[in-house]
Structures are given as C-alpha cells and as structure tokens.
Amino acid sequence: MWTALEPPATTVAPGESTAVRLRVRNTGDTVEEYRLSPVGDAAGWASVEPTVLRLYPGAEGTAEVTFAPPRTPDALAGPTPFGIRVEPREHPGEADVVEGRLTISPFAEFRAELVPRTVKGRRRARGRVAVDNLGNQPLTASFSTRDNGDAVTVEANPTAVQVDPGRAGFAEVQLTAVNVSWVGGIRQHPFTISVLRSGEPAPQELRGTYVQPSVFPRWVLAVGSVLVAAIVAFAVVWFQHDMGVKSQASEKAPAKEEPLPQGSNTPLPSAPPPPSKQPPPPSQPAPPAPDPGGQPKPKDPGGGGSGGGGGNPAPKQPKYDPNKLVRIQSGLGYLLVTATDQKAEGRYVYTAPTSFNSPPWDQFWHVRPLPNNEFAFTSSSEPWAVADNTREGNQIQMWGASGGEASLSNGSMTANQKWSIQPINGADGFVRLVSRDDNWCLSDLTPNDRKNLQVAEVRPCGALPDDQQRWKILQ
C-alpha cells in the first residue's frame, strides 16, 4: 500500500474551510478495500469523502479531506497536527496513518460589560468590568477611567488583565464621591470605563451611573422646619405666660404678719351642742339581676386580636427524580444543550432553540439531588459528567464529578459542581439555578448574538433581565 497527502500542510481561517487530497495506491496482488478516517486534534473539524476506497491491484484512488474549524475559542490559533488513518480490510495489519499539519489563522474578538451599570452608595460604591475573550488567541485588555469633574473619582483595579481564549477576566471598579450629600435627594453621576485591547487603535467605552442618595431625605428637612417653628412658638407662649404670672404676683404687697395671742386668761368657749340625729342616707340602688343562664356574656368576636392576616406562602421546593430525564428551558425559551461530539471533558454547555434536537447535540439532563438541598446536573449521554462552573471564568463546561461516582449521591464534589434550585414565587414554575461556588445565577446569553450558539454562563443574580436568569425544569 502506498499513500500520499497533497499538500502535506495547509492553512484555514476559523469559520471557513479548506481541503487536501489523499492518494492511495494498491501495491498488492488482490482487490483491497481501504477505510479512511481522520485522527488527531483536528479530527472534530475534518471530513473525508469518500470514506472507503475499493482498488484493484496496481490501481490508485483519491479522497478529499475537508477541514472547517468553527469561529469559536475552541479552534485555537496556530499549527495543529492531524492524521488520516488508512486501514485495509483484507490486511488490517498493514494499516497506516498519513500525517499532515493544519495551521489555524488567529482572530480577535472580545466583549466587555459593566456589571452592574448602575451602582449606589452615599460615599463609595463598587462595580465590576467583565472582559470575555471570544477569539482563539490570548488577549490583553487595559482599563482607563474618566472622572465626572469634581463630583466623583473612578479607579479600576487591576488596570490590565490577560484573558485566555474562551475565558473571562475581571477588574473591580471603585467609585468615591468627593462630597457627602447631606440633604437634597438623590444625585446621579455618570462615569466612563474605557477598555482597550492590545493591537486595537480605539478603546471600547462602557458608560455607567453612580447614584448617590442623601444622608437625610428632603422630608426630614421639611419635618425639622415644622418642629423648629413649633418649638419657637411654644417658647414664646411659655415666656409670655411666665411674665404675666410674675407681674400679677408683684402688684399686691404681702400683708404684715401679726403673732397669735399666747397664754390668754380668757376662758375657752363651751363646746357646741351635739348634732341632731340625721336621717339615714337614701338606699343604694339594687344590683342588676343576674343573667337567667348564669353565664357571662360572650366577648365580642370582632374585638382585639391581630387577625392572622399575613402574606403569600413561600413556594415549595419541587421533587426531582434522578432517574427521569428532563429538559432545562430558560425564560427566553431556549434549552441547555451539550455537544457530544466534542472533547469528553471541558466541552461547553450552550443555549439552543427547542427544535435543536438532533445528534450530536444532547438536550436531556438528570437532576441529581444531593445533601443540604443541593443538586448536580448530568447529561443523558454521559451521566458521569456534571455541569461545572469553572473557577477560572464564568462559563459552564462538562467535567467529571470531582469526588467520583459516589459524589453524585453523597455530594462530596467541589462547590463549583453543585447548584441550588430556588423557586420564584408567582413565576409559573420558574426557578433560579444558583452556583454554590460564588452564588451567581445561570444565565442565558442568547440576546448577545442570536446567529450563533451562546455558551451558558453564570452572572451576578439580578445583573441581567429576569428571563435570562430564570429557568423551567420540564419533567
């Protein structure tokens, strides 16, 4: 058997395709059937046509190998080796692998967000800048701030981050008001964060608002003014009344006191006669007759008491059968899916339309209850892999349970593989899926780009619209 690859090396840009030709010659003396299959890191993007060559002795056949890497961070920039396995059916021991090299062109794409866009604080407030690397090569992003005159100062820490493909980098934004607003309501201070990717001439500007409430609201000033006026009026009336009493007392001079006679020889007067017998006092009215029943009157059922009114009861936690397959649908109507033809561990979890239900995509899940009211999510095709909130970023990937198969029941896996399911009161069965690692909510980022599948991520709860952070588990 003789094989050749023409050309042995090629270059392709992500999102496009390229092809090479494989030549196979039967150098044996019998009719042979050769099976062709791609191997190596680029095998997931390669296709061979035809996949089988049937050759007579001395005959030669060709097959076309096409490479179509996606425009995603999975297709890392740089050279990638590949191989085409040629396996004879009659003589499998003579199988051979024809090796080549595929170079993937780099592309740069990133997304910067200010989370949240509106921050609040009387003197200080904090926010975050998130930079998502959507390209296939590492990027460096630097941050610069623009203060709002003399009203507020803005600082970013760190001032630059380096982000790997498919990851996210963060910087903390510290806002400090120059002066405290004691009275006067709420003040709003706009500010700007500029994000500059290395190699680009112009930065991307993120605009936010710093809301600074006053220490004392306006109604306190109004009530204080009324109280001061009342105190002044009371003091005026009090002093006028006090002066009037003193003036009346000084108009009449006190009479001269004379001592009482002491030791007089005049005999004491005789005692007065005893009083005549007084008629008895009128009789008291008789007490009212007791009630014929001999029982006290019942108390008014409507009087007193708190009434026991109260708000709506908290929603109950639904039960989940770990042996039953479910679908997990966001408030936008998109399903969580995984690509079963990608790498076994570290593959991404996407959000896709409900009609996106053909292999190699898997949209069915097992909800596995764990101790402490926690849960793990495993795909139906690979029940050993769990949805993992990666510690390096905020994307959701599929990894093996960190505590082994036993952790799927005893919960011994790490916190970034465990979730809490929080029902939403009055939301028609919707729940929030909250990572136990950082207490961030699972988010559907489909509105960012509706033409391409979006990788599911965790974001701070409340930082995105409600429908992007609430889910319904379709049992």
Side-chain angles (χ1 to χ4, degrees):
M1 177 182 65
W2 175 86
T3 58
L5 198 62
E6 299 176 350
T10 185
T11 301
V12 64
E16 301 179 2
S17 62
T18 187
V20 297
R21 186 173 64 171
L22 174 66
R23 297 172 57 190
V24 180
R25 182 183 303 162
N26 185 0
T27 58
D29 54 1
T30 58
V31 177
E32 186 65 88
E33 185 177 276
Y34 301 93
R35 297 184 181 274
L36 312 177
S37 59
V39 295
D41 295 337
W45 314 321
S47 61
V48 182
E49 183 64 32
T51 58
V52 176
L53 292 176
R54 184 178 179 84
L55 302 177
Y56 288 95
E60 181 178 310
T62 61
E64 188 174 79
V65 183
T66 303
F67 297 93
R71 189 178 174 84
T72 65
D74 292 333
L76 296 178
T80 301
F82 72 90
I84 305 299
R85 182 178 178 83
V86 182
E87 185 175 2
R89 181 177 180 181
E90 300 297 332
H91 304 85
E94 298 179 1
D96 188 19
V97 175
V98 185
E99 297 182 351
R101 184 178 65 183
L102 175 68
T103 301
I104 299 176
S105 302
F107 77 95
E109 184 177 348
F110 80 102
R111 178 178 62 239
E113 291 182 273
L114 185 61
V115 183
R117 293 185 178 180
T118 300
V119 294
K120 185 177 181 180
R122 288 191 173 91
R123 185 63 189 273
R124 293 182 177 85
R126 295 177 183 269
R128 302 180 80 191
V129 177
V131 178
D132 298 321
N133 186 358
L134 306 180
N136 65 348
Q137 60 181 343
L139 68 83
T140 299
S142 58
F143 308 104
S144 59
T145 61
R146 187 184 306 168
D147 300 342
N148 182 15
D150 298 331
V152 62
T153 60
V154 186
E155 296 180 357
N157 184 29
T159 58
V161 294
Q162 186 171 6
V163 188
D164 292 331
R167 300 295 185 181
F170 298 90
E172 186 176 88
V173 180
Q174 174 75 47
L175 299 102
T176 305
V178 175
N179 298 313
V180 177
S181 176
W182 293 101
V183 180
I186 297 177
R187 300 180 181 179
Q188 295 188 357
H189 309 293
F191 64 93
T192 302
I193 306 292
S194 297
V195 183
L196 179 63
R197 184 183 67 83
S198 59
E200 284 193 355
Q204 178 179 346
E205 293 190 344
L206 306 177
R207 304 184 186 277
T209 303
Y210 172 30
V211 178
Q212 183 186 19
S214 299
V215 177
F216 301 106
R218 292 183 177 180
W219 65 265
V220 172
L221 182 61
V223 172
S225 301
V226 173
L227 290 177
V228 170
I231 292 173
V232 172
F234 176 78
V236 171
V237 173
W238 172 263
F239 283 115
Q240 288 181 350
H241 174 75
D242 187 56
M243 292 297 295
V245 171
K246 289 183 178 180
S247 62
Q248 291 179 5
S250 61
E251 289 177 358
K252 185 176 181 180
K256 185 178 181 181
E257 295 183 358
E258 296 183 359
L260 293 175
Q262 299 292 332
S264 175
N265 295 326
T266 306
L268 295 173
S270 59
S276 60
K277 187 175 183 182
Q278 298 294 330
S283 60
Q284 299 293 329
D291 186 68
Q295 299 294 333
K297 290 184 179 181
K299 295 183 179 179
D300 182 7
S306 61
N312 296 328
K316 294 182 178 180
Q317 177 74 48
K319 301 294 184 180
Y320 301 101
D321 186 352
N323 299 316
K324 185 177 180 180
L325 290 176
V326 301
R327 289 183 176 184
I328 303 176
Q329 184 178 34
S330 73
L332 299 176
Y334 291 83
L335 295 175
L336 279 186
V337 299
T338 60
T340 57
D341 64 341
Q342 294 182 4
K343 49 191 175 183
E345 287 191 307
R347 68 177 185 272
Y348 295 106
V349 176
Y350 301 86
T351 50
T354 55
S355 60
F356 200 78
N357 57 1
S358 60
W361 296 89
D362 183 5
Q363 60 178 336
F364 291 94
W365 302 82
H366 289 284
V367 181
R368 297 185 177 274
L370 306 175
N372 302 321
N373 202 23
E374 295 174 333
F375 299 86
F377 299 102
T378 62
S379 63
S380 62
S381 58
E382 293 175 337
W384 54 269
V386 299
D388 185 314
N389 169 23
T390 57
R391 295 179 181 271
E392 300 84 5
N394 52 3
Q395 295 175 334
I396 307 302
Q397 299 181 2
M398 299 301 296
W399 290 91
S402 58
E405 183 177 357
S407 64
L408 294 176
S409 58
N410 61 23
S412 60
M413 63 189 69
T414 55
N416 56 304
Q417 294 185 341
K418 295 190 285 189
W419 304 78
S420 66
I421 301 178
Q422 301 178 1
I424 305 174
N425 194 8
D428 191 23
F430 280 101
V431 297
R432 285 191 178 91
L433 305 180
V434 182
S435 171
R436 303 302 294 165
D437 184 33
D438 49 20
N439 290 327
W440 283 13
C441 286
L442 180 63
S443 303
D444 183 355
L445 302 182
T446 302
N448 294 341
D449 186 358
R450 295 186 181 273
K451 295 182 180 180
N452 301 299
L453 292 182
Q454 294 297 298
V455 178
E457 297 184 0
V458 290
R459 295 292 178 89
C461 297
L464 297 177
D466 291 343
D467 282 340
Q468 292 184 238
Q469 292 192 327
R470 62 181 182 179
W471 304 82
K472 182 175 289 187
I473 298 180
L474 307 176
Q475 302 191 68

